[in-house]
Amino acid sequence: QQQVKQSPQSLIVQKGGISIINCAYENTAFDYFPWYQQFPGKGPALLIAIRPDVSEKKEGRFTISFNKSAKQFSLHIMDSQPGDSATYFCAATGSNFNKFYFGSGTKLNVKP
Amino acid sequence: DTAVSQTPKYLVTQMGNDKSIKCEQNLGHDTMYWYKQDSKKFLKIMFSYNNKELIINETVPNRFSPKSPDKAHLNLHINSLELGDSAVYFCASTRTAMNTEAFFGQGTRLTVV
């Protein structure tokens, strides 16, 4: 059973547009929801993370929206740039899990 | 300085061989992990060690044997390599075994021919 479901699998956005990636989770015991960015040939790197006590977190052009009742969270990239082209992973974990459950990834391509 | 470093970056080997991948972190973290990323980019946990002790073993074949000589190192030895083992293997670390930021190495691309 996949604990974290991510969509879409791929996304093409024009430069300056908004990129939106969605994730849904199963386990209500999760309490840490990070987003990782991975460039080709590199390891994933933390982009932004949220805990369920807030509904939104913003860092620069990146925003996480969190809906606890729906068990969903999403990443919004404002003013998307070609340099944002990468694969994005959502993840979830909690104090008792000792590991991250990753979504299946979204390959974002920002067209110049 | 690289926070989490893996060697080698690329590994091409024949079926049936035995190979090792090394990982070191200089962050002072307690917990280290091995993740496997398949051709579809899916990241799947394999093992987790906390202070040199195995805490997660996710139904990985016995041919895979992790070893943690100290909490800064977590190596992965693979016996009798199979074609299906071809993937990118990532080492990662977190400050504790709890829910904190994970730092990933650059990955080891293993190709079994």
Side-chain angles (χ1 to χ4, degrees), chain A residues 19-75:
Chain A
S19 303
I20 302 174
I21 305 171
N22 300 301
C23 282
Y25 63 96
E26 294 291 325
N27 199 318
T28 55
F30 291 150
D31 61 6
Y32 179 65
F33 302 89
W35 284 90
Y36 282 82
Q37 180 187 55
Q38 184 180 24
F39 292 106
K42 302 292 185 183
L46 180 68
L47 187 63
I48 187 172
I50 197 168
R51 296 190 186 270
D53 52 344
V54 297
S55 60
E56 186 175 283
K57 183 174 181 180
K58 185 176 181 179
E59 290 183 3
R61 297 184 293 109
F62 301 92
T63 300
I64 300 179
S65 297
F66 185 81
N67 186 329
K68 189 173 181 179
S69 61
K71 295 192 289 185
Q72 293 175 347
F73 58 111
S74 59
L75 176 69

Side-chain angles (χ1 to χ4, degrees), chain A residues 31 36 38 51 98-100, chain B residues 37 56 58 97 99-100 102:
Chain A
D31 61 6
Y36 282 82
Q38 184 180 24
R51 296 190 186 270
N98 299 323
K99 65 182 177 182
F100 291 87
Chain B
Q37 187 170 49
I56 291 177
E58 285 281 309
N99 48 355
T100 59

Side-chain angles (χ1 to χ4, degrees), chain B residues 28-56:
Chain B
H29 287 174
D30 287 343
T31 312
M32 296 185 72
Y33 311 79
W34 279 110
Y35 280 86
K36 179 179 180 181
Q37 187 170 49
D38 61 25
S39 58
K40 294 184 178 180
K41 299 290 190 184
F42 190 67
L43 277 162
K44 186 171 164 52
I45 183 75
M46 299 175 68
F47 301 103
S48 173
Y49 271 73
N50 188 55
N51 280 319
K52 304 192 299 177
E53 299 295 323
L54 179 68
I55 56 173
I56 291 177

